[in-house]
Amino acid sequence: MQLAELKTYIHDVPDFPKKGIIFKDISPLLASAKARTAATALLAKPFEKEQVDVVLGIESRGFLFGLPLADLLHARFVMVRKSGKLPGKLITKEYALEYGTDTLELQAAAIKPGDKVLLHDDVLATGGTAAAAIAMVEQCGGIVVGTSFLIELDFLNGRAHCGSTQVHAVLNY
Ligand code: AMP
């Protein structure tokens, strides 16, 4: 599927969840098996020849394509979740939002020192979420080999916060 066709499955919703934000709604893409398959293959493509031990999906929309991406790359899938959802010993990271802060958590044993980790989320906006997840991987001794997004909002320059490894987005806006 061409990128232009894939883009027809992403709907712009102006002023959601608040005024001035153009929300990228991936629901039409999720509803199409054809578009999902194409999107997953395009997410995996740049990393197919690389060693990826873990795909790290960020709650919650990062789970949707993170899991099939891990399948394609024959990698483990690990969740980064909002606070209070994961059991056991955790790595915790507070990060800044536009208003206030939020906390992400990761099971400490899920990433081993030396693991090669590919981070995935649906949308790269300011990059604050990705930066927090990268810091958590590094705290575990993991090596971030790349970051992968379905959608990148270029004008927010979130990739500046994604470290020095490859930043891959399927669709750019
Ligand atoms: P950020 O930390 O600013 O890069 O924001 C990334 C997170 O916010 C992602 O998990 C997205 O799901 C969500 N997000 C931010 N901006 C948008 C947008 N315009 N449309 C849809 N989701 C967004």
Side-chain angles (χ1 to χ4, degrees):
M1 184 184 291
Q2 301 289 318
L3 293 181
E5 187 185 351
L6 195 56
K7 274 194 172 181
T8 66
Y9 291 89
I10 309 286
H11 289 184
D12 281 0
V13 185
D15 297 324
F16 181 86
K18 54 189 170 206
K19 211 166 168 46
I21 305 276
I22 299 173
F23 184 79
K24 296 290 180 194
D25 185 11
I26 63 167
S27 303
L29 196 157
L30 296 177
S32 161
K34 190 176 139 205
R36 285 199 309 270
T37 305
T40 310
L42 288 166
L43 279 168
K45 206 160 188 249
F47 302 100
E48 271 163 353
K49 292 193 170 67
E50 282 198 41
Q51 192 198 326
V52 175
D53 300 309
V54 173
V55 172
L56 190 72
I58 301 177
E59 182 164 0
S60 56
R61 278 169 285 156
F63 298 165
L64 297 167
F65 287 94
L67 188 65
L69 177 60
D71 287 342
L72 282 185
L73 298 176
H74 309 289
R76 297 175 350 243
F77 178 71
V78 171
M79 299 181 285
V80 168
R81 301 209 66 180
K82 302 282 167 61
S83 62
K85 309 234 176 177
L86 285 171
K89 190 166 178 278
L90 303 174
I91 304 264
T92 296
K93 178 85 188 163
E94 198 177 84
Y95 67 107
L97 295 173
E98 200 179 345
Y99 301 105
T101 62
D102 212 342
T103 303
L104 292 176
E105 292 181 339
L106 168 68
Q107 285 176 322
I111 294 175
K112 317 257 180 281
D115 269 345
K116 296 198 156 82
V117 179
L118 174 62
L119 196 126
H120 168 73
D121 203 357
D122 66 331
V123 176
L124 174 62
T126 65
T129 310
I134 287 169
M136 295 165 87
V137 170
E138 289 171 350
Q139 209 180 320
C140 294
I143 301 156
V144 178
V145 293
T147 51
S148 131
F149 305 91
L150 199 55
I151 294 166
E152 177 178 9
L153 304 178
D154 300 352
F155 59 96
L156 292 172
N157 197 27
R159 59 173 55 226
H161 302 282
C162 289
S164 54
T165 53
Q166 181 174 184
V167 182
H168 171 56
V170 172
L171 300 173
N172 290 84
Y173 291 87

mmCIF file of all heavy atoms in Angstrom, residues 12-34:
data_model
loop_
_atom_site.group_PDB
_atom_site.id
_atom_site.type_symbol
_atom_site.label_atom_id
_atom_site.label_comp_id
_atom_site.label_asym_id
_atom_site.label_seq_id
_atom_site.Cartn_x
_atom_site.Cartn_y
_atom_site.Cartn_z
ATOM 1 N N ASP A 12 -7.986 13.408 10.902
ATOM 2 C CA ASP A 12 -7.683 14.588 11.714
ATOM 3 C C ASP A 12 -8.931 15.038 12.470
ATOM 4 O O ASP A 12 -9.982 15.212 11.853
ATOM 5 C CB ASP A 12 -7.232 15.752 10.813
ATOM 6 C CG ASP A 12 -5.785 15.607 10.374
ATOM 7 O OD1 ASP A 12 -5.144 14.613 10.770
ATOM 8 O OD2 ASP A 12 -5.302 16.489 9.651
ATOM 9 N N VAL A 13 -8.788 15.221 13.765
ATOM 10 C CA VAL A 13 -9.903 15.728 14.569
ATOM 11 C C VAL A 13 -9.456 17.042 15.208
ATOM 12 O O VAL A 13 -8.681 17.044 16.165
ATOM 13 C CB VAL A 13 -10.326 14.716 15.670
ATOM 14 C CG1 VAL A 13 -11.559 15.218 16.412
ATOM 15 C CG2 VAL A 13 -10.559 13.329 15.082
ATOM 16 N N PRO A 14 -9.904 18.180 14.654
ATOM 17 C CA PRO A 14 -9.463 19.473 15.188
ATOM 18 C C PRO A 14 -10.024 19.738 16.579
ATOM 19 O O PRO A 14 -11.132 19.311 16.901
ATOM 20 C CB PRO A 14 -10.026 20.494 14.181
ATOM 21 C CG PRO A 14 -10.557 19.708 13.038
ATOM 22 C CD PRO A 14 -10.828 18.329 13.522
ATOM 23 N N ASP A 15 -9.209 20.423 17.378
ATOM 24 C CA ASP A 15 -9.615 20.864 18.722
ATOM 25 C C ASP A 15 -10.005 19.715 19.652
ATOM 26 O O ASP A 15 -10.909 19.847 20.468
ATOM 27 C CB ASP A 15 -10.757 21.899 18.639
ATOM 28 C CG ASP A 15 -10.296 23.163 17.922
ATOM 29 O OD1 ASP A 15 -9.125 23.556 18.098
ATOM 30 O OD2 ASP A 15 -11.100 23.729 17.154
ATOM 31 N N PHE A 16 -9.317 18.574 19.518
ATOM 32 C CA PHE A 16 -9.509 17.452 20.446
ATOM 33 C C PHE A 16 -8.141 16.991 20.929
ATOM 34 O O PHE A 16 -7.222 16.853 20.123
ATOM 35 C CB PHE A 16 -10.240 16.289 19.751
ATOM 36 C CG PHE A 16 -10.486 15.124 20.673
ATOM 37 C CD1 PHE A 16 -11.612 15.094 21.486
ATOM 38 C CD2 PHE A 16 -9.573 14.073 20.752
ATOM 39 C CE1 PHE A 16 -11.823 14.027 22.358
ATOM 40 C CE2 PHE A 16 -9.777 13.008 21.624
ATOM 41 C CZ PHE A 16 -10.902 12.985 22.425
ATOM 42 N N PRO A 17 -7.941 16.704 22.207
ATOM 43 C CA PRO A 17 -8.887 16.809 23.324
ATOM 44 C C PRO A 17 -9.069 18.231 23.824
ATOM 45 O O PRO A 17 -9.908 18.456 24.697
ATOM 46 C CB PRO A 17 -8.241 15.944 24.411
ATOM 47 C CG PRO A 17 -6.786 15.966 24.116
ATOM 48 C CD PRO A 17 -6.653 16.132 22.638
ATOM 49 N N LYS A 18 -8.274 19.179 23.281
ATOM 50 C CA LYS A 18 -8.546 20.576 23.643
ATOM 51 C C LYS A 18 -8.248 21.486 22.462
ATOM 52 O O LYS A 18 -7.626 21.066 21.468
ATOM 53 C CB LYS A 18 -7.757 20.983 24.887
ATOM 54 C CG LYS A 18 -6.278 20.739 24.817
ATOM 55 C CD LYS A 18 -5.653 20.972 26.176
ATOM 56 C CE LYS A 18 -4.231 20.487 26.175
ATOM 57 N NZ LYS A 18 -3.725 20.114 27.450
ATOM 58 N N LYS A 19 -8.687 22.721 22.568
ATOM 59 C CA LYS A 19 -8.573 23.690 21.478
ATOM 60 C C LYS A 19 -7.122 23.825 21.000
ATOM 61 O O LYS A 19 -6.199 23.880 21.794
ATOM 62 C CB LYS A 19 -9.103 25.046 21.962
ATOM 63 C CG LYS A 19 -9.713 25.837 20.833
ATOM 64 C CD LYS A 19 -10.547 27.013 21.298
ATOM 65 C CE LYS A 19 -10.886 27.932 20.131
ATOM 66 N NZ LYS A 19 -11.352 27.227 18.924
ATOM 67 N N GLY A 20 -6.945 23.838 19.692
ATOM 68 C CA GLY A 20 -5.619 24.058 19.118
ATOM 69 C C GLY A 20 -4.881 22.778 18.772
ATOM 70 O O GLY A 20 -3.909 22.795 18.027
ATOM 71 N N ILE A 21 -5.343 21.621 19.312
ATOM 72 C CA ILE A 21 -4.699 20.335 19.018
ATOM 73 C C ILE A 21 -5.424 19.679 17.847
ATOM 74 O O ILE A 21 -6.665 19.618 17.832
ATOM 75 C CB ILE A 21 -4.769 19.376 20.240
ATOM 76 C CG1 ILE A 21 -4.166 20.016 21.492
ATOM 77 C CG2 ILE A 21 -4.142 18.015 19.914
ATOM 78 C CD1 ILE A 21 -2.683 19.926 21.646
ATOM 79 N N ILE A 22 -4.669 19.215 16.868
ATOM 80 C CA ILE A 22 -5.272 18.386 15.810
ATOM 81 C C ILE A 22 -4.959 16.938 16.152
ATOM 82 O O ILE A 22 -3.817 16.484 16.026
ATOM 83 C CB ILE A 22 -4.739 18.759 14.416
ATOM 84 C CG1 ILE A 22 -5.068 20.211 14.103
ATOM 85 C CG2 ILE A 22 -5.341 17.824 13.357
ATOM 86 C CD1 ILE A 22 -4.441 20.738 12.827
ATOM 87 N N PHE A 23 -5.960 16.237 16.639
ATOM 88 C CA PHE A 23 -5.781 14.859 17.094
ATOM 89 C C PHE A 23 -5.739 13.926 15.894
ATOM 90 O O PHE A 23 -6.578 13.996 15.004
ATOM 91 C CB PHE A 23 -6.944 14.483 18.026
ATOM 92 C CG PHE A 23 -6.819 13.125 18.645
ATOM 93 C CD1 PHE A 23 -5.984 12.922 19.735
ATOM 94 C CD2 PHE A 23 -7.538 12.047 18.142
ATOM 95 C CE1 PHE A 23 -5.862 11.661 20.318
ATOM 96 C CE2 PHE A 23 -7.423 10.794 18.723
ATOM 97 C CZ PHE A 23 -6.587 10.599 19.806
ATOM 98 N N LYS A 24 -4.743 13.051 15.883
ATOM 99 C CA LYS A 24 -4.617 12.054 14.815
ATOM 100 C C LYS A 24 -5.347 10.792 15.267
ATOM 101 O O LYS A 24 -4.846 10.060 16.133
ATOM 102 C CB LYS A 24 -3.143 11.739 14.551
ATOM 103 C CG LYS A 24 -2.350 12.919 14.027
ATOM 104 C CD LYS A 24 -2.765 13.255 12.616
ATOM 105 C CE LYS A 24 -2.001 14.432 12.072
ATOM 106 N NZ LYS A 24 -2.588 14.974 10.855
ATOM 107 N N ASP A 25 -6.513 10.547 14.691
ATOM 108 C CA ASP A 25 -7.328 9.398 15.080
ATOM 109 C C ASP A 25 -6.960 8.190 14.216
ATOM 110 O O ASP A 25 -7.165 8.199 12.999
ATOM 111 C CB ASP A 25 -8.809 9.756 14.912
ATOM 112 C CG ASP A 25 -9.723 8.647 15.426
ATOM 113 O OD1 ASP A 25 -9.222 7.708 16.088
ATOM 114 O OD2 ASP A 25 -10.939 8.722 15.152
ATOM 115 N N ILE A 26 -6.403 7.158 14.875
ATOM 116 C CA ILE A 26 -5.983 5.962 14.134
ATOM 117 C C ILE A 26 -7.084 4.904 14.072
ATOM 118 O O ILE A 26 -6.862 3.812 13.549
ATOM 119 C CB ILE A 26 -4.681 5.346 14.712
ATOM 120 C CG1 ILE A 26 -4.875 4.865 16.168
ATOM 121 C CG2 ILE A 26 -3.506 6.317 14.616
ATOM 122 C CD1 ILE A 26 -3.750 3.969 16.679
ATOM 123 N N SER A 27 -8.279 5.237 14.583
ATOM 124 C CA SER A 27 -9.364 4.234 14.610
ATOM 125 C C SER A 27 -9.690 3.660 13.226
ATOM 126 O O SER A 27 -9.871 2.441 13.102
ATOM 127 C CB SER A 27 -10.631 4.837 15.225
ATOM 128 O OG SER A 27 -10.359 5.309 16.516
ATOM 129 N N PRO A 28 -9.756 4.497 12.170
ATOM 130 C CA PRO A 28 -10.041 3.920 10.838
ATOM 131 C C PRO A 28 -8.961 2.934 10.394
ATOM 132 O O PRO A 28 -9.256 1.918 9.769
ATOM 133 C CB PRO A 28 -10.087 5.141 9.911
ATOM 134 C CG PRO A 28 -10.395 6.292 10.821
ATOM 135 C CD PRO A 28 -9.712 5.979 12.117
ATOM 136 N N LEU A 29 -7.726 3.209 10.759
ATOM 137 C CA LEU A 29 -6.629 2.295 10.417
ATOM 138 C C LEU A 29 -6.782 0.966 11.165
ATOM 139 O O LEU A 29 -6.602 -0.108 10.606
ATOM 140 C CB LEU A 29 -5.287 2.964 10.747
ATOM 141 C CG LEU A 29 -4.031 2.359 10.132
ATOM 142 C CD1 LEU A 29 -2.926 3.405 10.070
ATOM 143 C CD2 LEU A 29 -3.539 1.175 10.904
ATOM 144 N N LEU A 30 -7.148 1.065 12.437
ATOM 145 C CA LEU A 30 -7.337 -0.153 13.237
ATOM 146 C C LEU A 30 -8.483 -1.004 12.696
ATOM 147 O O LEU A 30 -8.482 -2.222 12.825
ATOM 148 C CB LEU A 30 -7.615 0.203 14.704
ATOM 149 C CG LEU A 30 -6.486 0.900 15.446
ATOM 150 C CD1 LEU A 30 -6.925 1.264 16.865
ATOM 151 C CD2 LEU A 30 -5.236 0.027 15.504
ATOM 152 N N ALA A 31 -9.455 -0.330 12.063
ATOM 153 C CA ALA A 31 -10.641 -1.036 11.568
ATOM 154 C C ALA A 31 -10.367 -1.792 10.269
ATOM 155 O O ALA A 31 -11.202 -2.591 9.835
ATOM 156 C CB ALA A 31 -11.782 -0.036 11.370
ATOM 157 N N SER A 32 -9.243 -1.538 9.636
ATOM 158 C CA SER A 32 -8.957 -2.167 8.344
ATOM 159 C C SER A 32 -7.813 -3.178 8.471
ATOM 160 O O SER A 32 -6.668 -2.805 8.779
ATOM 161 C CB SER A 32 -8.573 -1.088 7.328
ATOM 162 O OG SER A 32 -7.885 -1.667 6.234
ATOM 163 N N ALA A 33 -8.079 -4.431 8.202
ATOM 164 C CA ALA A 33 -7.042 -5.471 8.265
ATOM 165 C C ALA A 33 -5.936 -5.167 7.255
ATOM 166 O O ALA A 33 -4.750 -5.330 7.539
ATOM 167 C CB ALA A 33 -7.654 -6.837 8.000
ATOM 168 N N LYS A 34 -6.339 -4.694 6.068
ATOM 169 C CA LYS A 34 -5.382 -4.382 4.999
ATOM 170 C C LYS A 34 -4.429 -3.266 5.436
ATOM 171 O O LYS A 34 -3.214 -3.347 5.262
ATOM 172 C CB LYS A 34 -6.195 -3.950 3.771
ATOM 173 C CG LYS A 34 -5.415 -3.818 2.500
ATOM 174 C CD LYS A 34 -6.390 -3.475 1.357
ATOM 175 C CE LYS A 34 -5.760 -2.440 0.455
ATOM 176 N NZ LYS A 34 -6.710 -1.623 -0.274
#
